[in-house]
Amino acid sequence: MTEVLALIVYGRVQGVGFRPSICRLAQELHLTGSVRNLGNGVEILARGEAENLQTFVDALGHLERPVFVEKIDELPVDENKFVGALSTDFQVVESDAKITGQTIVPADLALCSQCASELEDSKNQRYHYPYISCANCGPRYSIIRNLPYDRKTTTMGEFPMCAHCSGEYKDMANRRGRAETISCNNCGPQLVAWVREEQQSFGQENALQKARELLQQGKIIMAKAMGGFNLICRADLESSVQLLRQIKHRPTKPFAVMFADVTTAKKYLSISAKESELLKNQVRPIVLVTKPKEDFALAENVAEGTASLGIFLPPLGFYQLLAEYPLIVTSANHSGAPIIFNDEEAEKFYQNNKDIAGLFTYSRKILRPADDSVVQVVAGRTMVLRRTRGYMPEPITVNFNAPEILATGAQMETSFCLTKDNKYYLAQVPAEAAEERTAKQWLTLEQDWENLLNIHPKAVVTDLHPHYDSTEWGKKIAQERGIPCLSVQHHFAHALSVVAEHHLQNDVLAVTFDGTGLGSDGAIWGGEFLLVQGAKFERYAHLEAVPFLSDDSSMRQAWKSEICYLHNAGIKFPATDVKAALIEKLLDEKLNVIPNSSMGRLFDGVACALGLGQENTHQGCCAQRLESAATLALQKGIKPATLHFVHNEKGSIWSSKNLWQAILNCDKNNFDEVASLALGFHLAVVEMIVQVAEQVRSEKQIDQIVLSGGCFVNKILAEETIKQLQDEKFKVYINNQVPTGDGGLAFGQAYYAGLACQEGDW
């Protein structure tokens, strides 16, 4: 019996080959009808035998990635209305721009394996075409003007298709059927280059050869990628890496390295099956993998003083064609500044930096920036550390609906989150909030997302700290629009980011360790054990609040942290140390002093005392070096030093005073001894966490533990904590989809505002 079916399909169904897949499936099942993009999903009309229609619907949820069907709504059918669309064959029809309800904008997708093969095939129409793509790969988010996703609503609309591409575009049996970014060597964006020494421009094939020559010579080049401009150099030449550091004003922060493929990467590093899977994922993230204990075959200054190296595979065809050597591919900007994605700004940066040997670009506009995403594997789980290209702006689903909300994040790792019903759209803007251009880019991007996603916030939520730039941005928006502005304590928002992600219902113990955050009592927090119940929390336990100088330099200068901890432990520096004597005097007189319970600062102080670093020349630098020393202890089988935190009678305040004498007695010239103490410190932190968890279970019958905050980027700390808690039968949750550091804070803030609304607090 013939029947008619009308559906709207939601999820990742635009820009990922969904419509051609539907046409092929419908034809196999002898269905007639049509498929079209809507502003917020895809509409399908189908006529056929009832059994075939049911098979069709069942198959929708099992299409291959990158398609992901989240929900299917069946609509009432007026067969007379649809008779034209249902009469012959199965076809793609004109999109409907009307947007209602939830919206999913497709993310940028890295080069797929089929396009990568065609790129190297000299007989293929797209041989050596740097911007090759199909329905399963290529830019989406960075080129979409508005929804629905069609060629004319992207910056590809400016490029007429050649006859060959047009034929493929219309062929639903082809994987480039309705591939909106389709182009080739005869149409679409073309590679051009300006080479400084030769003072001339080059067309596509010559430009590619020039790029290879300059890299072979050890030069730095600049290239327009998918979501912004990059600087590129060889990762095996120390002089090239050092020049790159000078251009970027980036003295120590590690660089990531791009390899041609996993097989090549395995010649340099040990890579697990899970890490290999992530490397080949179409997000194409940077994956942090553990460095070898010796025989590091790349330039040492690529990632000095770190336990891990970020590696990734080429995300677009141009980079695949350059990957003859391991390459550093990093954002073209000064460290801390927003990524450059505008052509005029890129040309200015190129002209102002004479050490860049060539600029390689194309004419398609990038509408919004997207830096590389960063992930690592922790205890067999994927931990997203930076959620940008390949993820943005796709949402994370939570377990209840709430009014539309804007959350503005924190000072570090600038971000924001917009919500609609139960969808949370998290954006990261990798730049320092205090940098001059960050505010403009943040505000512009936030407004752009509101328009793109059809979201109109009914409230704003910020961090509790009144002087964060992000707090000021949020308050200004709320004031201008006349909507409520809420604030939420920093570490509570970290905790809620895990609760929201895992849809946790019952009370949890949240272990939130990071560098800094304003506490409810006006002190600096960062070593927190919070009991979380809905939109409320209780500070159950914490690191001892140690008097610190309240100036911002204490965050950067680990030597100041060391002095503060030693002073608190009753240990004085030699009188000949003038700087220490001055700080001790200020602490004694309680001048410009604030209590600080930060775990991040404790990591800094211990690293400094062990001779591993005196200053954070980049975020987390000293803590990374402490983790690196502990990793080396594990690799070499060095026995960890026995260290313990001590606590007060209630077990609510934990002190590091017992650690310091053993650390100070260390022979800093004996690296095995340093490594032993570094590992012992990590294990002492884990021991403290387990003891607090056991106390909470005994007193409160809580066995759900969430771990969040920037300190849990530390792989030893995270993995050992998870292992020991699970050994004691606790249920342990960490951030997987959103960053555990401040880049995920806006997600937790937004969830708090939703909970508060449910409980009638605004």
Side-chain angles (χ1 to χ4, degrees), residues 316 365 382 406 579 679 700-701 731:
L316 72 161
K365 290 181 180 178
T382 301
L406 164 64
K579 290 191 298 185
L679 181 56
K700 307 285 186 178
Q701 290 74 56
K731 299 169 187 172

Side-chain angles (χ1 to χ4, degrees), residues 710-728:
C711 289
F712 285 105
V713 172
N714 183 312
K715 195 167 182 177
I716 294 176
L717 179 62
E719 290 195 324
E720 194 60 31
T721 300
I722 292 169
K723 177 184 180 300
Q724 292 198 27
L725 286 172
Q726 288 182 333
D727 285 348
E728 298 301 323

Side-chain angles (χ1 to χ4, degrees), residues 433-453:
E435 212 277 348
E436 184 179 354
R437 290 173 297 150
T438 301
K440 180 179 179 181
Q441 188 170 111
W442 189 97
L443 292 163
T444 300
L445 194 63
E446 189 281 323
Q447 185 60 60
D448 174 48
W449 275 41
E450 286 189 25
N451 297 334
L452 187 66
L453 299 169

Side-chain angles (χ1 to χ4, degrees), residues 635-657:
Q635 290 174 330
K636 294 177 68 175
I638 297 171
K639 184 178 179 181
T642 302
L643 300 174
H644 305 285
F645 286 81
V646 294
H647 58 82
N648 64 357
E649 187 176 344
K650 292 182 179 179
S652 59
I653 299 176
W654 292 73
S655 173
S656 63
K657 288 177 181 176

Side-chain angles (χ1 to χ4, degrees), residues 82 176 199 246 301 330 350 468 519 565 650:
F82 297 139
R176 289 192 172 89
Q199 297 185 344
Q246 293 170 14
N301 56 349
T330 184
Y350 171 68
Y468 280 176
Y565 284 114
K650 292 182 179 179

Side-chain angles (χ1 to χ4, degrees), residues 108 110 226-227 283-285 315 370-373 387-392:
D108 293 337
M226 199 180 300
V283 171
R284 204 56 56 86
D371 210 347
D372 298 309
S373 293
R387 192 178 193 274
T388 44
R389 194 200 67 235
Y391 293 106
M392 295 194 306

